């Protein structure tokens, strides 16, 4: 009997945030999103660069893979498309002509595409979309057993699933099906508010505290019929996503009295109030759903995935009010996480392998991308003619902390890249949160994005309760909690307009490169909190390589770049950015 490890490659592709993940005997070896390599945000193409990176990190060839698994079932999804278009003939003909030929030519033939793209001759398996989400939430969680809630736009037919898991077993017991979708409801308002569909939803969440939920009653009187158990139905006359090319219908526009906002046009109080209203509606749907799930399963813990699980404001409310002892959300909760979930579903459900529960969690800080050696970084810096200082680790951390205290904005590039949409201290832009001007400075001078967008605090885990009303770790920046009233004036740049913050707690085990910097900053300033945002500019993915990082550093108002053991000062760099 062979003692060779079993290697499983999970793939998500073709719709939003394609990604790849490699497991070896159930252990997560690597997981990365294609956008980080292609530099196209939310890249939905086949993740050939992500697959290659996973194989490189696993030090294996395609021929050493035992299984490849795709994160959903294309024929079931195509069936939904056909039934939906047939329902709306002839109104959906334009959408039909746009979507169906692509499916017939390419998207249906995933097995052939995988065989062709990566030259794999072994077994190719298919998980269901929400099965992948559920597996990504439950199997890496720190719980032996838990209730499971997955909520997104739509998979094959389901838009929401409820279930529970125990050990290596997982059962999805109830679902809500398309076209009734909380994710698509939120996305419809994202579109109406002038933000990009499937990428601007977090802007709606950030805008919401600037408004009042004046239209909440309108939403529940006209758009959504909500039951006591959290199940719901949408009045589809107000939406156009079933067979049209937009998200909202003319009836939706008449209901709210305006046409959709044009991108980059003024955000009025109406738009802010509408954002507040859909955010409250999202919470008002999720909360009874979670309470019902708690009562139905009698589980003490809840795990979540799907794009809606990235709504950290709603997550905070579920934690406080749904009756669960604790909550764990998959850091890559959107479609990218489907690659991980599908691979884990093969290991535990298809192969029946036992599960070992990690009391922290099995995600390892979600630092699952490719690391770069000092030698690789130095090659890039020399190619650009960069001026840099190589320092030992303690001195590097100390000088970086001092620069932060002096008011500099620092690009921080260390270790393995994050899997998921949040920067967690590996590919981060950092600043002192105590300056009232830092939020606007980083938004406008460095990130080139809307001034209303809030920034997250990274805080030493042991200091969390001293600054925030949060009594547990939040390592993946997926919980919003209030900043303590007496601390809001101390850390104004990470305190949102409503007094809240999207918190990342930092411990030494998950974040060994980031934790010492927070310690050093506390020693220099007395404050254990840093402003932490993703290392990118608006419209671009988070940086993946030293090349990406240096270009971003030179093209923005960052003052300092720290990559591996190297510290670079903007003031010392050659003028202009020359491609190597």
């Amino acid at each position: 009997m062979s003692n060779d490890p079993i290697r499983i490659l999970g793939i998500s592709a073709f719709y939003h945030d394609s990604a790849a993940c490699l497991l070896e005997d159930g252990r997560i070896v690597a997981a990365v999103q294609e956008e980080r390599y292609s530099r196209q945000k939310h890249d939905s193409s086949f993740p050939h660069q992500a697959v290659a990176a996973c194989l490189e990190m696993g030090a294996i060839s395609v021929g050493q893979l035992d299984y490849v698994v795709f994160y959903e079932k294309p024929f079931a999804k195509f069936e939904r498309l056909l039934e939906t278009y047939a329902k709306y003939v002839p109104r959906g003909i334009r959408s039909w002509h746009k979507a169906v030929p692509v499916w017939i030519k390419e998207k249906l033939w995933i097995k052939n595409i995988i065989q062709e793209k990566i030259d794999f001759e072994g077994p190719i398996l298919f998980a269901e979309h929400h099965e992948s989400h559920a597996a990504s939430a439950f199997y890496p969680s720190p719980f032996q057993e838990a209730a499971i809630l997955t909520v997104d736009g739509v998979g094959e037919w389901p838009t929401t699933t409820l279930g529970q898991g125990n050990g290596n077993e997982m059962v999805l017991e109830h679902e809500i099906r398309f076209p009734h979708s909380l994710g698509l409801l939120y996305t419809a308002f994202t579109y109406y508010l002038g933000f990009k569909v499937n990428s601007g939803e977090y802007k709606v969440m950030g805008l919401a505290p600037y408004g009042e939920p004046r239209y909440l009653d309108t939403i529940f009187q006209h758009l959504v019929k909500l039951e006591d158990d959290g199940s719901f139905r949408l009045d589809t006359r107000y939406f156009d996503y079933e067979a049209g090319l937009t998200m909202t219908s003319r009836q939706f526009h008449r209901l709210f009295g305006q046409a959709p906002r044009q991108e980059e046009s003024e955000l009025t109080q109406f738009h802010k109030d509408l954002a507040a209203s859909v955010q409250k509606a999202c919470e008002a749907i999720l909360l009874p759903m979670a309470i019902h799930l708690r009562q139905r399963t009698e589980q003490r813990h809840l795990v979540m995935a799907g794009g809606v699980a990235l709504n950290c404001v709603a997550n905070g409310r579920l934690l406080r009010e749904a009756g669960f002892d604790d909550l764990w959300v998959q850091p890559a909760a959107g479609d990218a996480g489907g690659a991980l979930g599908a691979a884990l579903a093969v290991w535990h459900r298809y192969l029946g392998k036992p599960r070992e529960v990690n009391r922290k969690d099995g995600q390892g800080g979600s630092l699952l991308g490719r690391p770069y050696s000092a030698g690789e970084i130095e090659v890039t810096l020399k190619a650009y003619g960069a001026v840099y200082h190589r320092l030992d680790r303690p001195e590097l951390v100390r000088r970086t902390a001092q620069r932060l205290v002096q008011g500099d904005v620092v690009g921080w590039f260390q270790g393995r890249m994050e899997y998921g949409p949040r920067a967690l201290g590996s590919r981060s832009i950092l600043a002192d949160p105590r300056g009232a001007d830092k939020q606007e400075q980083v938004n406008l001078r460095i990130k080139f994005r809307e001034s209303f967008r809030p920034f997250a605090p990274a805080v030493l885990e042991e200091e969390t309760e001293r600054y925030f009303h949060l009594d547990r770790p939040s390592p993946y920046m997926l919980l919003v909690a209030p900043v303590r009233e007496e601390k809001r004036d101390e850390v104004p740049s990470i305190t949102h307009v409503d007094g809240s913050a999207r918190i990342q707690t930092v411990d030494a085990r998950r974040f060994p490169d980031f934790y010492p910097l927070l310690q050093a900053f506390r020693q220099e300033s007395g404050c254990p909190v840093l402003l932490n945002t993703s290392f990118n500019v608006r419209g671009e993915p988070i940086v993946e390589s030293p090349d990406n990082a240096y270009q971003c550093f030179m093209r923005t108002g960052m003052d300092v770049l720290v990559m591996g053991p190297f510290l670079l000062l903007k003031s010392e760099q050659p003028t202009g950015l020359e491609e190597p």
Side-chain angles (χ1 to χ4, degrees):
M1 186 174 179
S2 174
N3 291 320
D4 291 342
I6 296 174
R7 300 182 178 99
I8 303 166
L9 180 72
I11 292 175
S12 64
F14 292 139
Y15 311 114
H16 186 63
D17 279 343
S18 63
C21 171
L22 177 65
L23 297 188
E24 185 172 287
D25 282 346
R27 178 180 63 89
I28 307 171
V29 173
V32 289
Q33 291 145 265
E34 183 71 9
E35 66 165 20
R36 307 292 167 85
Y37 297 92
S38 69
R39 309 311 299 157
Q40 297 178 33
K41 197 162 187 177
H42 303 301
D43 193 339
S44 60
S45 62
F46 186 87
H48 60 95
Q49 294 181 88
V51 169
C54 285
L55 296 177
E56 180 186 358
M57 284 183 273
I60 64 167
S61 66
V62 170
Q64 293 172 283
L65 291 171
D66 296 281
Y67 300 92
V68 172
V69 57
F70 193 67
Y71 82 127
E72 64 180 11
K73 297 190 172 180
F75 280 90
K77 192 154 193 167
F78 188 56
E79 175 192 35
R80 170 175 61 79
L81 292 174
L82 292 180
E83 285 193 26
T84 302
Y85 288 133
K87 176 181 172 183
Y88 285 94
V89 169
R91 186 166 68 84
I93 196 68
R94 288 177 61 207
S95 185
W96 166 280
H97 282 306
K98 185 175 181 180
V100 170
V102 177
W103 273 87
I104 292 174
K105 184 178 179 180
E106 184 175 18
K107 291 184 179 181
L108 275 178
W109 316 112
I110 298 295
K111 185 174 182 179
N112 295 340
I113 290 170
I114 290 172
Q115 290 171 333
E116 178 184 318
K117 292 281 188 182
I118 67 173
D119 194 26
F120 180 67
E121 298 179 354
I124 297 174
L125 306 175
F126 294 84
E128 292 181 346
H129 185 102
H130 276 263
E131 176 190 19
S132 295
H133 278 321
S136 78
F138 176 61
Y139 290 128
S141 78
F143 311 131
Q144 172 65 26
E145 53 185 301
I148 302 169
L149 177 61
T150 70
V151 190
D152 67 0
V154 60
E156 293 87 359
W157 280 101
T159 66
T160 301
T161 62
L162 296 86
Q164 56 186 314
N166 190 344
N168 71 340
E169 296 181 353
M170 188 179 73
V171 180
L172 300 180
E173 301 163 336
H174 179 70
E175 66 184 31
I176 297 173
R177 290 164 68 90
F178 183 85
H180 308 291
S181 166
L182 178 53
L184 290 175
L185 173 70
Y186 207 93
T187 296
F189 278 88
T190 300
Y191 164 82
Y192 186 68
L193 288 168
F195 302 122
K196 288 184 179 178
V197 167
N198 291 330
S199 67
E201 284 77 6
Y202 56 93
K203 296 183 183 181
V204 178
M205 186 176 66
L207 184 63
Y210 290 90
E212 295 293 333
R214 303 183 196 281
Y215 301 98
L216 185 61
D217 288 345
T218 302
I219 290 172
F220 284 113
Q221 287 171 6
H222 295 273
L223 304 184
V224 183
K225 181 181 179 182
L226 179 62
E227 303 296 339
D228 292 343
D229 63 358
S231 60
F232 62 92
R233 294 182 65 82
L234 304 185
D235 187 331
T236 57
R237 294 173 299 174
Y238 291 93
F239 305 95
D240 201 34
Y241 55 73
E242 283 190 88
L245 296 174
T246 61
M247 293 298 298
T248 54
S249 69
R250 292 178 182 175
Q251 194 161 339
F252 186 104
H253 309 159
R254 287 195 296 268
L255 178 65
F256 292 106
Q258 292 188 25
R261 171 181 168 264
Q262 295 299 305
E263 190 175 2
E264 305 298 337
S265 64
E266 180 187 4
L267 280 165
T268 67
Q269 193 59 46
F270 165 75
H271 299 116
K272 296 170 186 177
D273 291 343
L274 210 58
S277 301
V278 72
Q279 175 61 36
K280 289 298 182 186
C282 177
E283 297 167 27
I285 293 169
L286 284 173
L287 185 56
M289 192 183 294
I291 291 171
H292 172 72
L293 182 59
R294 168 79 176 94
Q295 294 168 345
R296 179 172 170 170
T297 63
E298 297 184 345
Q299 293 289 350
R300 295 169 45 241
H301 302 118
L302 174 65
V303 298
M304 294 177 65
V308 176
L310 292 171
N311 192 308
C312 46
V313 176
N315 294 345
R317 191 168 175 194
L318 294 186
L319 182 60
R320 292 189 300 271
E321 301 178 37
F324 291 97
D325 293 350
D326 207 353
L327 165 71
W328 193 84
V329 180
Q330 165 56 234
D335 280 0
L340 169 61
L344 288 169
V346 171
W347 179 252
H348 292 297
R349 305 191 88 195
Y350 182 77
L351 298 176
K353 299 295 185 179
R355 171 173 171 253
E356 294 182 10
V357 179
N358 185 313
R359 68 179 186 86
K360 288 273 190 183
D361 63 53
Q363 196 95 354
S366 208
L367 307 180
L368 301 172
R370 183 191 188 284
Y372 284 86
S373 68
E376 290 174 308
I377 295 170
E378 191 165 25
V379 165
T380 297
L381 295 178
K382 286 182 175 178
Y384 277 105
V387 177
Y388 55 90
H389 306 272
R390 181 164 189 158
L391 305 169
D392 62 34
R393 195 71 189 172
E395 179 67 8
L396 181 82
V397 168
R398 186 183 68 83
R399 286 182 57 177
T400 303
Q402 288 175 341
R403 284 282 173 174
L404 287 162
V405 171
Q406 292 169 17
D408 286 349
V409 177
V410 175
W412 181 255
F413 183 104
Q414 301 291 324
R416 300 187 70 176
M417 178 179 61
E418 300 89 342
Y419 178 52
R422 311 297 188 209
L424 302 171
S426 283
R427 305 289 185 271
S428 288
I429 296 172
L430 306 172
D432 187 337
R434 297 173 300 164
D437 63 335
K438 274 293 182 286
Q439 179 187 1
E440 185 173 0
Q441 178 187 354
V442 177
N443 264 330
L444 301 181
R445 187 163 67 92
I446 295 165
K447 299 284 282 188
F448 308 131
R449 67 183 199 179
E450 301 91 344
S451 60
F452 68 82
R453 300 271 298 280
F455 286 112
V459 58
L460 289 170
E461 185 178 287
E462 62 269 24
E463 298 269 22
T464 304
E465 288 191 76
R466 192 156 69 89
Y467 279 77
F468 306 99
H469 288 285
L470 184 67
D471 62 355
R472 66 201 66 212
S474 174
Y476 301 120
M477 213 181 283
L478 287 166
L479 290 174
V480 163
V483 181
R484 289 193 178 275
E485 292 79 355
E486 68 274 16
K487 294 295 185 182
R488 292 176 186 177
D489 289 340
E490 181 184 341
V491 288
S493 290
I494 56 84
T495 302
H496 204 16
V497 65
D498 61 352
S500 70
R502 189 183 71 207
I503 301 161
Q504 180 198 4
T505 59
V506 179
D507 63 279
R509 181 176 170 184
R510 289 189 184 93
F511 307 107
D513 292 320
F514 194 28
Y515 184 82
L517 179 61
L518 278 160
Q519 285 185 310
F521 183 75
R522 177 179 60 182
Q523 185 173 349
E524 295 286 339
S525 68
C527 177
V529 180
L530 282 173
L531 181 157
N532 176 21
T533 189
S534 55
F535 198 150
N536 65 317
V537 296
R538 182 184 183 187
E540 291 187 359
I542 296 174
V543 301
E544 189 278 329
S545 68
D547 183 78
N548 301 154
Y550 187 76
Q551 289 197 41
C552 187
F553 168 60
M554 291 299 293
R555 290 171 175 164
T556 65
M558 269 181 276
D559 305 291
V560 179
L561 172 61
V562 183
M563 280 203 294
F566 304 105
L567 185 144
L568 294 81
L569 305 178
K570 178 67 69 60
S571 60
E572 296 179 345
Q573 301 312 303
T575 57
L577 176 62
E578 298 294 332
E579 296 286 349

